[in-house]
Amino acid sequence: MAIVGFVETKFHFGAVNDEASADGQFTASLHHKFGPAGATVWSRPSVQGFSVNDDDGGVGLWISKFVDHDGSHPGPFSPGIFATKCTDVFFAMDARDCIATAVFTSHVFD
């Protein structure tokens, strides 16, 4: 089995001393879609860098859900997933008193 393609999305997100959330934490999500026939994929998020604004700052990454021929599989999945006939992968990122850059990668196999 060889890698024949990939989808990679860079994502920049953060929350710094924000009072709108009870714990200063915010979550964002991103979606990779592979079409109705699906694909064999290895998907994983990775942190590229972050800067904290407070000593409790941090970032978290995971796959929140993926969909394949067997249906929807809710996560969290960390560090990633390998799935056949996968149509959708949903990534999530939370930020607590930091600004972070992440890359969400899905390798496609033949």
Side-chain angles (χ1 to χ4, degrees):
M1 192 179 300
I3 295 174
V4 296
F6 68 93
V7 177
E8 193 164 68
T9 309
K10 188 174 185 177
F11 197 66
H12 191 73
F13 177 72
V16 178
N17 290 338
D18 198 308
E19 300 299 325
S21 170
D23 59 1
Q25 177 175 336
F26 284 90
T27 302
S29 62
L30 190 124
H31 177 205
H32 287 176
K33 186 162 187 65
F34 301 102
T40 299
V41 299
W42 171 36
S43 298
R44 64 196 182 355
S46 59
V47 174
Q48 295 296 298
F50 68 95
S51 59
V52 296
N53 190 54
D54 203 341
D55 61 358
D56 66 345
V59 62
L61 302 171
W62 65 95
I63 293 174
S64 59
K65 177 175 78 170
F66 73 95
V67 180
D68 66 9
H69 63 286
D70 288 329
S72 180
H73 307 279
F77 299 101
S78 183
I81 58 111
F82 182 86
T84 59
K85 297 181 183 175
C86 184
T87 58
D88 302 90
V89 177
F90 297 85
F91 296 89
M93 175 178 179
D94 71 20
R96 294 168 312 281
D97 287 324
C98 75
I99 304 294
T101 302
V103 173
F104 302 119
T105 304
S106 293
H107 292 97
V108 179
F109 293 82
D110 66 356

